Amino acid sequence: MTITFIGHGYVGLVTASVFADLGNTVWVIGHTKEKIENLKKGIIPIYEPGLEEIVKRNVRAKRLLFTLEYDKAISSSSIVFIAVGTPSRENGEADLSSVFEVSEKIAQHSTGYTVVATKSTVPVGTNKKIKEIIEEKKNPKAEVDVASVPEFLREGQAISDTLNPDRIVIGTESKKSEKLLLELHKPIDGNMVLTNIETAEMIKYAANAFLATKISFANAIAHLSEVTGADGLKVLEGIGYDKRIGASFLSPGAGYGGSCLPKDIKALLNISQKNGYDFGLLRQVHKVNEEAIKRISKKAKKVLPDLFGKTITVLGLSFKPNTDDMRDAPSIPIIASLKREGAKIKIYDPVAITNAKKIIKDIVFCKDPYEACKDSDLLIIVTEWNEFKQLDLNKIKKIMRNPAIIDGRNIYDAQKAKELGFNYVGVGR
Ligand code: UGA
């Protein structure tokens, strides 16, 4: 099948590459000449394990074609996926201007029968508007159906999530479009949820909101455990074995971040408000998350009552491991708060430093964790990269000025760290 993706961010580039790898001819349309020229050479604009190989392989096989032009790609495609960004506006609502802009362009170039499927996360009712735009602008001979096919991949494991999804959600307005989308997804195993467009749009927000709720619940229980003397990690382990609850997304720590959960929570709150529903639960989810992030710097002030002039090491900057994505990363407010108190910050991250340099100023970027820990008064783990899990803590103790750790992701054995002589503070224990 020949298909098109508009947008080459995490969702667009990963999904396009996977469909190309499955034997389809896939066009990817972008709007930045430099990025498209790089992609044609297999140089990708993001860090995602395994993605570069799959892009290169399919570029070589001429199944993955990058372009700035709409005409050839759209007119030759049976399905056109919209995978552009929907960032938060000031009031939390999703900014749909890119989605509507590309819809007009699709309309101008569509011929024959085309399914326009939205992968971008969009509020309920958006596909109806896309349909109106396309109907108004398209050639009368062209026939277009819209569909909602939300994406559930996680950064850092995006390719395996796309190839082995828990479910594939397809929301359509006609049997004809449903059949075509089913045909495309045939080689991918996963529970199929076939539904209408509005339901598919809502499933995406409901999923991210529920994941955020689980994390905030874990952070609230972790905090309560700390103040009551319970072991929060054991409590969460104890509830996670219950199949009705499930163990995943119950890790307390420095809060959730990234380009999806924070943005989608704000957008769902905005949708609720517009529809006259006070989604108080979700407001609390957001509040608990902000508290969890703030608590890391509060703990730093407890360990080192006067932060002024102290050297603090932060390990891990990206919003989670295996990505260089700094969007809404908890490390940003944590570092800002420590700097406000007059601390000198040394940081290390395996891949996010280039992106971090654009956002975080006046700090010392180090080339490895040991350099970052040298002469430091406090080590804070913000992102649980694998390479931090087996650092030589003996060596770190020797090179630090003051052996103290705030383990914002609970990667170390608290008992062992204390035996080594560290003042160790985790989350929930
Ligand atoms: C999230 C969803 O998990 C995907 O299903 C969805 O497709 C994606 O958003 C999206 O909407 O595009 P992602 O943002 O890549 O994926 O990352 P997650 O793995 O969900 O992690 C989000 C944040 O939650 C990270 O900061 C992570 O550190 C934090 N987290 C996660 C916790 O603090 N505790 C946990 O137990 C799990």
Side-chain angles (χ1 to χ4, degrees):
M1 203 181 283
T2 299
I3 61 175
T4 289
F5 276 81
I6 304 175
H8 47 66
Y10 278 96
V11 171
L13 190 55
V14 170
T15 334
S17 308
V18 166
F19 280 126
D21 218 36
L22 292 170
N24 299 287
T25 300
V26 184
W27 288 94
V28 177
I29 303 179
H31 64 265
T32 317
K33 191 162 188 261
E34 191 195 339
K35 283 190 182 162
I36 289 295
E37 288 311 316
N38 279 338
L39 283 162
K40 282 180 183 171
K41 293 179 215 145
I43 303 168
I44 62 172
I46 48 175
Y47 174 85
E48 178 62 38
L51 182 58
E52 196 160 276
E53 291 92 298
I54 189 169
V55 169
K56 283 202 164 113
R57 180 162 72 234
N58 286 284
V59 166
R60 267 198 307 272
K62 296 194 168 54
R63 284 192 298 263
L64 192 55
L65 309 158
F66 295 97
T67 179
L68 292 162
E69 309 299 334
Y70 277 68
D71 48 0
K72 203 167 159 198
I74 304 293
S75 59
S76 61
S77 291
S78 332
I79 304 172
V80 177
F81 285 100
I82 298 178
V84 295
T86 53
S88 289
R89 284 187 198 277
E90 205 54 12
N91 64 354
E93 77 181 325
D95 180 349
L96 299 172
S97 47
S98 299
V99 171
F100 295 144
E101 211 174 286
V102 304
S103 303
E104 276 196 28
K105 290 190 183 151
I106 297 169
Q108 285 155 9
H109 295 98
S110 56
T111 53
Y113 178 67
T114 315
V115 176
V116 177
T118 306
K119 277 236 166 264
S120 307
T121 302
V122 294
V124 180
T126 304
N127 273 285
K128 225 181 207 164
K129 288 191 196 135
I130 295 175
K131 174 93 178 176
E132 282 165 20
I133 292 171
I134 294 179
E135 284 302 325
E136 195 192 316
K137 305 270 174 181
K138 76 173 177 58
N139 179 324
K141 282 189 194 145
E143 189 193 342
V144 173
D145 273 335
V146 294
S148 168
V149 187
E151 188 48 61
F152 301 99
L153 62 81
R154 287 163 293 178
E155 291 182 23
Q157 52 211 89
I159 292 166
S160 62
D161 277 355
T162 308
L163 280 167
N164 310 292
D166 287 338
R167 78 304 210 178
I168 296 165
V169 174
I170 299 181
T172 51
E173 57 172 341
S174 73
K175 280 285 159 206
K176 192 173 172 185
S177 54
E178 184 182 277
K179 198 169 156 232
L180 207 56
L181 285 161
L182 279 173
E183 178 69 29
L184 178 69
H185 287 86
K186 213 170 175 183
I188 302 175
D189 251 349
N191 297 308
M192 277 290 173
V193 181
L194 304 179
T195 182
N196 62 31
I197 290 173
E198 287 74 14
T199 310
E201 290 171 331
M202 185 59 104
I203 287 172
K204 172 68 194 188
Y205 280 109
N208 275 358
F210 193 76
L211 292 172
T213 305
K214 282 192 88 176
I215 300 168
S216 280
F217 185 84
N219 278 318
I221 290 292
H223 176 61
L224 202 53
S225 299
E226 277 178 20
V227 294
T228 55
D231 179 343
L233 296 192
K234 275 278 168 235
V235 174
L236 292 161
E237 184 190 343
I239 67 169
Y241 288 127
D242 186 328
K243 287 192 189 68
R244 294 167 303 172
I245 296 172
S248 60
F249 273 69
L250 280 186
S251 299
Y256 62 75
S259 64
C260 306
L261 300 195
K263 160 179 85 73
D264 293 350
I265 272 51
K266 283 184 209 150
L268 191 53
L269 279 169
N270 184 274
I271 295 168
S272 309
Q273 195 190 13
K274 278 187 184 151
N275 287 281
Y277 174 58
D278 177 17
F279 205 152
L281 173 64
L282 211 52
R283 273 193 284 113
Q284 287 303 316
V285 167
H286 173 66
K287 186 167 168 261
V288 169
N289 192 54
E290 296 211 308
E291 287 166 2
I293 297 173
K294 281 194 188 126
R295 213 168 280 125
I296 300 293
S297 34
K298 277 192 187 155
K299 283 179 174 170
K301 283 174 215 163
K302 257 197 170 158
V303 172
L304 300 172
D306 184 8
L307 292 181
F308 191 84
K310 296 286 188 319
T311 300
I312 299 182
T313 304
V314 172
L315 291 188
L317 297 171
S318 52
F319 81 97
K320 68 174 195 176
N322 298 322
T323 176
D324 62 352
D325 200 338
M326 284 296 297
R327 286 176 288 179
D328 263 316
S331 63
I332 302 170
I334 291 170
I335 290 170
S337 155
L338 299 172
K339 274 173 62 188
R340 271 197 302 276
E341 298 291 323
K344 181 182 159 204
I345 315 290
K346 291 173 82 181
I347 61 178
Y348 171 74
D349 185 285
V351 300
I353 286 189
T354 309
N355 284 342
K357 279 185 175 165
K358 296 175 201 155
I359 309 166
I360 312 175
K361 307 283 173 199
D362 304 322
I363 49 170
V364 181
F365 290 93
C366 299
K367 63 174 191 321
D368 67 55
Y370 298 103
E371 186 190 315
C373 287
K374 192 157 183 321
D375 297 327
S376 174
D377 296 295
L378 171 65
L379 161 62
I380 305 182
I381 304 288
V382 178
T383 312
E384 68 279 31
W385 282 91
N386 270 341
E387 68 170 79
F388 302 154
K389 292 181 182 164
Q390 294 200 322
L391 288 178
D392 182 346
L393 289 184
N394 253 320
K395 182 173 167 185
I396 289 193
K397 194 190 160 230
K398 282 189 196 132
I399 58 176
M400 283 182 81
R401 192 158 41 210
N402 173 54
I405 302 179
I406 293 176
D407 187 355
R409 297 290 172 185
N410 292 319
I411 61 173
Y412 297 125
D413 182 325
Q415 195 54 37
K416 270 196 191 145
K418 282 179 187 163
E419 279 165 19
L420 283 173
F422 280 99
N423 175 5
Y424 174 91
V425 181
V427 178
R429 50 182 177 164

